[in-house]
Amino acid sequence: MASQEIEALTGALARLPGLGPRSARRAVLHLVKKREGALVPLLAALQAVEERLATCSICGNVDTTDPCAICVDPRRDARALCVVEEVADLWALDRSRLFPGRFHVLGGRLSALEGVRPEDLAIDQLVRRVEAGGVDEVVLAMNATLEGQTTAHYIAERLERFPIRLTQLAHGLPVGGELDYLDEGTLAQALRARRPVA
């Protein structure tokens, strides 16, 4: 039996995505065993983030500064704006280092079943950013789900009056994917988006 505090820590870790009760117990045992090398630095890092955590007032990213590091980076192309559903999507795209522009986080996607309406997302803020000028292209990087595509369609309608290039991420066959293992939706999208052989 562990103490009440250790059980509370295990329970808190078990609520994190990707960790269940067994993984949380292993993590806690590691932290306890490696107290100086793991627990103390983790506590310091958590404390620092908790004290400085901020949501960027421009794009909706989560950082320790407002505006975030991406929005103030002069090397970023301010004319290109990539719209994503969640901060995790922004981080994934930014990690790839393939998009040189800036981002806009919606904070979710439209969903009638979940009661998420346009006014629940940062769509009006996006329209204001485009309306302010200086944006030449908006990339809609929504997830390839029905809700994601509905959100992309709604945003496209809201932005059609602006003289910008509106693009969307391509969907279809993953690199290294075998046709036999792909679902019908992925195959259908790949067929619709086919292009000439160079």
Side-chain angles (χ1 to χ4, degrees), residues 122-138:
I123 296 173
D124 287 340
Q125 295 90 319
L126 170 64
V127 173
R128 284 195 294 272
R129 284 182 79 178
V130 172
E131 198 169 36
V135 175
D136 295 336
E137 179 183 12
V138 173

Side-chain angles (χ1 to χ4, degrees), residues 57-108:
S57 57
I58 297 172
C59 74
N61 187 18
V62 176
D63 203 342
T64 54
T65 59
D66 180 22
C68 71
I70 292 173
C71 286
V72 297
D73 186 347
R75 296 169 297 179
R76 295 276 183 169
D77 184 0
R79 295 168 301 162
L81 193 60
C82 183
V83 182
V84 295
E85 292 177 19
E86 301 287 354
V87 172
D89 303 325
L90 183 157
W91 289 358
L93 284 167
D94 193 47
R95 242 188 345 266
S96 75
R97 302 206 187 291
L98 296 173
F99 182 71
R102 301 212 170 135
F103 293 91
H104 187 86
V105 179
L106 295 174

